[in-house]
Amino acid sequence: MADVLPSVDVITIGVGLTGAMAGLELAKLGLKVVGLERGSPRDTVPDFQSPAIHDELRFSIRKAMMQDNTKVAVTFRNSSDQTALPVRRWEGFLPGQGLGGAFVHWNGQTYRAQVADFIYRTHLIQRYGEKFLEACGPELTIQDWGVTYDELEPYYDRFEYLCGVSGKAGNIKGQTQPGGNPLEAPRAREYPTPPMKEPYFAAIFRKGAESLGYHPYPQPSANLSQPYTNPEGLELQQCVFCGFCERYACEHFAKASPQTIVLPKLLKMSNYELRCNCEVLRINLDSTGKKATGVTYIDAAGREYEQPADLVLLTAFSLNNVRTLLLSKIGEPYDPKTGTGVIGRNYAYQTTGGATVFLDESINVNPFMASGANGTIIDDFGGDNFDHSQLGFIGGQYVGAIVTNGRPIEFHPTPPGTPTWGLQWKKAVVQHYNHTIAVQQHGTSTASRLNYLDLDPTYKDAWGQPLLRMTFDFPDNDTRMSQYVADKVVQIGNAMGGKMVVRGGTKRPYNSTVYQTTHNCGGAIMGADPRTSAVNRFQQSWEVPNVFSIGASSFPQNFTYNPSGTVGALAYWTLDAIKNQYLKSPGPLVPS
Amino acid sequence: MVEVSRRTVLKGAGALGASMLPVAAVANAAEAQDAHGHMAQAAPASPQAAPASTPAPSPAEPTTYLFLNSDEAAFIEAAVARLIPKDDQWGGALEAGVPNYIDKQLAGAWGAGERLYRSGPWMPGTPTQGYQLPFTPAELFRTALRAINAEQAQHRFADMSAEEQDNYLKTLQDGSSKDLGGIPANVFFSQLFQSTLEGFFSDPVYGGNKDMLSWRMIGFPGAYASYYDLVDQHGIKLDRAPTSLAENARGHIMVNPGIPARSP
């Protein structure tokens, strides 16, 4: 039976980005905070050191930093008439594990969403009308977030300064800034640090995009262009473009991660306690089912504990937040047949694509000289930045040359028609390796009533609990969108001087064996209506007000950009609401 | 460097018994007269030093197969030599020690199913659901290779002409209905090629990519840690010998194929 431990004020389930941020903000108030992390403790020194960290096989191919799927996997199917089967090896998306979470091995691409993204349904109906939206797909279930860009702007700002993001503003308080993204939402001030150096592949893209009249800008990066001290007094260093960023930890203290921006301060606080290798089985509720009493977890030695707490924060990866809510029976599970229920509703992803641009062999791209976020991109086809009225779809994508590495097990492009092995294949690899640029498309994922998360009826984790079941395919709207942008990317590839440009663009069915992104989002979405959202605009459970679920699981659908910047902003927004409202008067922050 | 033809090598291995003195070791023995050249050229400090295109032969490193039996080794050696053949400029998968890489991976944690969710029930699934067989990689190779070698009892793959070998590999690659002891042939082929690719391009610490052959071939600098001063020298030709995370201060490659796939 479980040992019952002395009660604490706050538990965070997961100590990645949001768990570390919550720990620090709430421990600063003097609260007793416990962080429960299922993975191991780890730090820049001694765990992330060169040269061992520069091991493509271990980290990229064998997924060393990812969730231990021998214990907890996910099951997957494209549609609800299929039988979901376990994702037996991580391939299509890669949930992280370990202290610091996925924010240790992320690429550092740190964007804001746009004004229209937060009022997506309202905005689209205003601009195009209800009929247009209905024609894009009757199955689409997009909705507003319940929070606006203007409300989040100060929290975006604070998060960017926590990370020290390197970039160039394109719009400061409505004034267009040369060199930045003229299409971005207005920001209060410049980025904390200037943009990174522009690598060759990015410069080639810039020239091509400019020649077509587009508006290239440097990708905002949490791998820093220069040394920086953040508001918590923690120092980051300059990125050296080692080419081992995504799927790797940074040995140079140059990437914003919990280990560089939060934890050194947090772990010194006597009222904060970190417990690693602890698997939370569930949040416990009292007899009313309306109040959480704490959590039950199992430590590395298999001992079961009950940890009582006044406030429980779900700060795990989006999929794990949703699974814990389902296992804890907090909120009504979504039923795709009736469209009722909220937990698991509006699971969304990211619609990607891209072209491969084969250049003349006189051009040395040197793809291995790269950081995780040193691209040059355009927003001309992002979100609703272009007129959709004649296009028959909603949404869009940013487009950019974002080469993050030249690691050869993963990167060895050959033109179509090349044999897949043998002498001709080998010669083609040699011929094109250093003379090819992948141009990416990265964009909106429209929520659909057909896509959702629930508990698998068959497959279990190492503790005998059901795995999370993912039912997902790209809505036709999103493949139409991606194919439209793919045409534009071919034109850009030609303008970049491509001798051959291989068109990409997303097609159905979604394939869980091909890596696309780990921007899994939704499933415990925020909103203004408890019938269509799991959490209110402060990411507080409608049903159990002393539980908050923080992260990309709150996104009602996915916008054009990488999610981390918005996850950080939402975390600060929620933590402010907890500090300034909830703790003064514990209870629902929004009447249901 | 003494040229050793693949045919000679394979016959030699067969005669000696592959489990004791495998092909790669025979080839290495023939090349060993240039031994230690690698140490002298190792770890240049500037991008201009040491041309990357001259692979320096390293001393013979007799490999002992830990997992593969002699029949299995004979197939793997011959197959990887066709999947990534040698050409007039660069060695292929055999010369890069890929059979040794595959053997050590199969003998270790990965072969035993590390990072593979292994609970049933087992169902075929759709192509978008990925690998759904109960076999660990070690079981997959052992089972499929037993079926292949049984099928070829009269005319072994290793004794076929290059053209015959290529045709046979194509029947595996296209053979979703061809059964190898419960494993669709295309599933086995796909894993065989992926493993070959890994052994060819991964860090030499895992026992393949001998002398960083593949990295020199494409111009990948390996585990080198910083390009801050070079990244804005657009189009620069980086002409430097690559570096391995297995190199010690003297340039020796310290092979350690047993590195587990878990977070630090």
Side-chain angles (χ1 to χ4, degrees):
Chain A
M1 290 316 291
D3 276 347
V4 181
L5 301 169
S7 185
V8 298
D9 297 312
V10 184
I11 290 169
T12 75
I13 302 175
V15 188
L17 172 66
T18 59
M21 288 170 69
L24 184 58
E25 288 303 291
L26 300 177
K28 277 180 189 171
L29 303 176
L31 299 175
K32 169 74 180 163
V33 183
V34 167
L36 295 171
E37 165 58 41
R38 72 154 50 128
S40 301
R42 50 186 184 165
D43 206 351
T44 310
V45 180
D47 301 309
F48 305 155
Q49 287 304 289
S50 179
I53 201 75
H54 293 171
D55 182 346
E56 183 185 17
L57 185 74
R58 182 180 184 192
F59 293 102
S60 283
I61 308 301
R62 302 283 188 253
K63 323 283 180 355
M65 297 232 160
M66 306 315 165
Q67 183 172 315
D68 185 351
N69 62 325
T70 63
K71 288 182 173 163
V72 185
V74 171
T75 69
F76 165 74
R77 58 184 175 174
N78 282 120
S79 59
S80 56
D81 59 351
Q82 297 175 339
T83 302
L85 296 177
V87 174
R88 296 187 181 275
R89 286 193 180 103
W90 296 127
E91 288 176 300
F93 55 92
L94 309 173
Q97 180 166 310
L99 182 60
F103 212 64
V104 168
H105 66 256
W106 72 313
N107 258 333
Q109 304 175 3
T110 319
Y111 295 88
R112 298 180 177 199
Q114 296 206 323
V115 175
D117 291 329
F118 294 99
I119 47 167
Y120 201 42
R121 182 172 199 89
T122 302
H123 167 84
L124 291 172
I125 288 173
Q126 239 164 34
R127 183 165 179 184
Y128 304 112
E130 293 239 24
K131 269 192 187 159
F132 175 87
L133 198 53
E134 180 72 13
C136 288
E139 77 280 16
L140 304 180
T141 49
I142 59 168
Q143 58 194 64
D144 295 357
W145 291 52
V147 62
T148 65
Y149 176 81
D150 286 347
E151 288 174 312
L152 280 184
E153 199 287 331
Y155 301 96
Y156 271 122
D157 179 274
R158 192 173 165 205
F159 182 66
E160 287 164 358
Y161 274 74
L162 179 76
C163 295
V165 177
S166 299
K168 180 74 193 84
N171 178 347
I172 297 180
K173 297 176 180 165
Q175 299 296 310
T176 301
Q177 310 291 313
N181 173 16
L183 302 167
E184 75 174 353
R187 57 179 63 243
R189 52 176 171 161
E190 188 49 90
Y191 280 98
T193 53
M196 304 188 84
K197 288 183 177 186
E198 186 169 66
Y200 196 21
F201 55 80
I204 293 170
F205 175 85
R206 174 182 293 277
K207 207 171 150 196
E210 262 171 1
S211 75
L212 297 173
Y214 301 133
H215 303 88
Y217 68 97
Q219 182 178 36
S221 169
N223 308 299
L224 302 200
S225 60
Q226 60 184 43
Y228 174 77
T229 302
N230 80 3
E232 305 297 346
L234 301 175
E235 287 176 36
L236 288 98
Q237 303 301 321
Q238 188 174 53
C239 170
V240 297
F241 299 87
C242 75
F244 292 84
C245 195
E246 180 178 46
R247 307 189 186 187
Y248 302 79
C250 181
E251 80 267 38
H252 294 290
F253 299 89
K255 172 159 63 173
S257 71
Q259 277 78 351
T260 53
I261 62 174
V262 178
L263 289 173
K265 185 167 180 179
L266 176 61
L267 295 177
K268 286 196 186 107
M269 300 180 77
S270 58
N271 55 328
Y272 180 79
E273 187 188 345
L274 172 67
R275 296 182 201 155
C276 286
N277 299 308
C278 291
E279 179 79 15
V280 173
L281 300 184
R282 76 190 83 87
I283 299 170
N284 299 314
L285 304 178
D286 73 2
S287 57
T288 67
K290 303 290 181 200
K291 187 180 177 210
T293 57
V295 305
T296 295
Y297 72 90
I298 295 189
D299 75 3
R303 294 170 294 210
E304 188 171 321
Y305 295 97
E306 191 184 323
Q307 175 62 67
D310 294 333
L311 182 59
V312 177
L313 306 181
L314 277 159
T315 53
F317 183 61
S318 58
L319 297 175
N320 294 319
N321 280 355
V322 175
R323 179 167 181 254
T324 303
L325 288 168
L326 289 166
L327 291 172
S328 309
K329 299 184 166 52
I330 296 175
E332 190 190 340
Y334 173 70
D335 179 350
K337 291 194 190 75
T338 60
T340 58
V342 290
I343 311 297
R345 184 173 187 275
N346 278 29
Y347 167 70
Y349 191 48
Q350 194 96 67
T351 314
T352 58
T356 310
V357 181
F358 292 93
L359 299 166
D360 190 87
E361 286 160 53
S362 64
I363 298 169
N364 297 311
V365 174
N366 296 328
F368 40 80
M369 299 182 191
S371 115
N374 55 190
T376 292
I377 63 179
I378 60 168
D379 242 5
D380 298 80
F381 301 103
D384 198 39
N385 291 345
F386 55 110
D387 183 8
H388 287 71
S389 52
Q390 304 304 314
L391 297 177
F393 63 81
I394 56 171
Q397 295 177 314
Y398 72 65
V399 173
I402 310 168
V403 174
T404 63
N405 73 87
R407 301 184 301 261
I409 306 176
E410 299 152 275
F411 179 77
H412 48 266
T414 56
T418 307
T420 53
W421 52 272
L423 198 58
Q424 294 313 309
W425 171 84
K426 183 188 180 196
K427 287 187 166 166
V429 169
V430 175
Q431 190 181 345
H432 297 288
Y433 171 75
N434 200 19
H435 318 292
T436 304
I437 299 174
V439 176
Q440 289 190 19
Q441 301 167 226
H442 185 284
T444 48
S445 178
T446 314
S448 156
R449 66 176 175 78
L450 305 174
N451 294 332
Y452 63 101
L453 304 171
D454 63 358
L455 292 177
D456 193 273
T458 306
Y459 293 96
K460 303 277 195 280
D461 71 9
W463 294 272
Q465 301 209 99
L467 298 184
L468 189 72
R469 177 168 68 175
M470 174 188 294
T471 304
F472 181 80
D473 203 350
F474 294 112
D476 284 334
N477 176 83
D478 291 5
T479 55
R480 289 199 297 274
M481 178 274 289
S482 180
Q483 293 299 330
Y484 171 83
V485 179
D487 287 338
K488 309 291 180 189
V489 176
V490 169
Q491 293 165 6
I492 295 172
N494 289 328
M496 289 166 67
K499 285 172 72 179
M500 185 191 300
V501 180
V502 181
R503 188 181 185 285
T506 292
K507 290 179 181 147
R508 294 181 67 185
Y510 167 70
N511 187 341
S512 78
T513 72
V514 178
Y515 186 75
Q516 294 164 53
T517 72
T518 305
H519 306 161
N520 312 76
C521 64
I525 67 173
M526 58 197 299
D529 183 345
R531 287 169 303 178
T532 55
S533 57
V535 293
N536 66 25
R537 70 195 223 99
F538 299 109
Q539 302 186 90
Q540 180 184 34
S541 164
W542 287 108
E543 192 157 308
V544 183
N546 65 335
V547 170
F548 288 72
S549 172
I550 300 171
S553 47
S554 298
F555 295 8
Q557 57 273 327
N558 208 358
F559 43 74
T560 304
Y561 312 95
N562 308 54
S564 294
T566 301
V567 168
L570 282 175
Y572 268 146
W573 155 258
T574 285
L575 292 167
D576 249 20
I578 291 173
K579 284 195 297 189
N580 301 327
Q581 299 176 59
Y582 179 85
L583 290 174
K584 287 172 183 157
S585 173
L589 298 178
V590 179
S592 56
Chain B
M1 189 194 300
V2 174
E3 285 291 320
V4 179
S5 84
R6 193 180 54 81
R7 304 300 310 156
T8 311
V9 164
L10 290 171
K11 281 172 187 156
L16 288 164
S19 66
M20 291 310 293
L21 189 56
V23 169
V26 175
N28 288 342
E31 292 169 1
Q33 49 193 290
D34 282 346
H36 308 297
H38 180 66
M39 281 173 58
Q41 292 187 26
S46 77
Q48 284 74 33
S53 55
T54 335
S58 62
E61 296 157 25
T63 42
T64 302
Y65 284 119
L66 300 178
F67 178 85
L68 298 171
N69 65 32
S70 55
D71 288 346
E72 293 165 344
F75 176 86
I76 294 291
E77 287 161 1
V80 304
R82 294 313 303 160
L83 292 173
I84 308 181
K86 71 180 287 196
D87 57 43
D88 47 17
Q89 202 181 351
W90 298 101
L94 185 63
E95 292 73 20
V98 167
N100 181 52
Y101 165 84
I102 292 177
D103 177 67
K104 299 304 173 288
Q105 288 294 304
L106 291 172
W110 180 75
E114 186 186 37
R115 294 290 164 139
L116 179 66
Y117 178 83
R118 292 195 71 210
S119 295
W122 306 92
M123 284 176 267
T126 68
T128 66
Q129 290 176 310
Y131 182 78
Q132 293 295 338
L133 295 172
F135 300 99
T136 62
E139 291 165 348
L140 184 96
F141 272 78
R142 179 130 290 159
T143 305
L145 289 174
R146 185 178 292 128
I148 287 171
N149 282 329
E151 182 180 86
Q152 298 181 335
Q154 302 309 315
H155 188 36
R156 285 158 39 102
F157 181 83
D159 300 328
M160 292 177 184
S161 71
E163 192 188 348
E164 286 175 313
Q165 288 177 335
D166 286 358
N167 286 337
Y168 185 75
L169 289 171
K170 279 181 198 137
T171 66
L172 296 182
Q173 183 175 21
D174 303 335
S176 57
S177 57
K178 182 180 173 68
D179 178 75
L180 302 174
I183 297 157
N186 62 326
V187 172
F188 172 68
F189 179 87
S190 162
Q191 185 57 66
L192 175 65
F193 183 69
Q194 173 64 22
S195 296
T196 304
L197 196 66
E198 289 169 6
F200 193 60
F201 280 128
S202 62
D203 196 285
V205 74
Y206 291 99
N209 195 9
K210 186 170 148 40
D211 294 328
M212 296 177 272
L213 181 162
S214 71
W215 293 356
R216 292 173 201 272
M217 178 182 90
I218 59 173
F220 176 62
Y224 190 71
S226 172
Y227 303 102
Y228 186 78
D229 294 327
L230 298 175
V231 67
D232 50 1
Q233 295 183 38
H234 290 169
I236 186 177
K237 176 89 179 110
L238 192 67
D239 197 15
R240 131 172 89 198
T243 178
S244 160
L245 60 87
E247 274 177 14
N248 70 7
R250 293 178 176 179
H252 282 297
I253 297 287
M254 313 295 279
V255 175
N256 177 12
I259 299 171
R262 60 172 165 74
S263 191

